[in-house]
Amino acid sequence: TGATLAVTDTSGEVRLFDAAKWTSRAIIPASGTVAYAPAAGLVAASDKQNKSVTLFSMSDGKEAGKLALPAGAIVANLGFSADGKRLAVILKAKDGGEPKVANTAIPKELKGLAREEFVLKNDGKISEVLVFDAVSGKVL
């Protein structure tokens, strides 16, 4: 049926298998962060330093494109839209100014996720989210 099983192993390599024959199709080199788009037959992978993102074909592991990231950008995470036509790249947080609230002013009643959300919204750091067209590689 042409179905592909894609797995990331402990070394960071992405291994592509023919799911009908259980044979290896390809190995994508070790990477940092990986996202899969089965609907589009694509794998997005950052390099080990999370400074670049490359798109690979899920059928044969060949490079299908490279995304242009801003100078000095570090990838924090990747995610495809359900149809695989768009790829969101979240960049590592950077200093965006003075924190809005000091750590000592975090409301004591906040626990768990509510506390983490409050800290993230008030720590003075910002993260950029870039959305790319997964076919052309252009920033949308």
Side-chain angles (χ1 to χ4, degrees):
T1 64
T4 300
L5 171 66
V7 295
T8 307
D9 67 18
T10 56
S11 73
E13 291 180 333
V14 176
R15 296 178 180 269
L16 303 174
F17 296 93
D18 180 308
K21 300 176 186 173
W22 294 112
T23 56
S24 177
R25 285 194 178 160
I27 298 174
I28 296 171
S31 55
T33 303
V34 178
Y36 300 98
L42 291 172
V43 176
S46 66
D47 67 334
K48 278 192 159 192
Q49 293 77 33
N50 288 313
K51 293 184 178 183
S52 67
V53 176
T54 305
L55 300 174
F56 297 92
S57 166
M58 199 176 272
S59 62
D60 60 12
K62 292 188 176 166
E63 186 174 313
K66 208 164 190 81
L67 303 181
L69 300 178
I74 298 176
V75 176
N77 215 333
L78 304 167
F80 278 102
S81 60
D83 61 7
K85 293 181 180 177
R86 293 185 177 167
L87 175 68
V89 178
I90 302 171
L91 302 180
K92 185 177 176 187
K94 57 185 175 184
D95 190 24
E98 289 296 314
K100 294 177 187 175
V101 177
N103 280 341
T104 56
I106 298 170
K108 294 188 185 318
E109 68 273 6
L110 291 179
K111 305 287 183 211
L113 187 57
R115 179 181 174 80
E116 288 180 42
E117 180 182 4
F118 182 88
V119 170
L120 289 172
K121 285 183 175 180
N122 295 284
D123 65 2
K125 294 185 179 186
I126 58 170
S127 290
E128 284 184 85
V129 178
L130 304 173
V131 178
F132 291 87
D133 178 295
V135 176
S136 70
K138 292 184 179 178
V139 177
L140 299 173

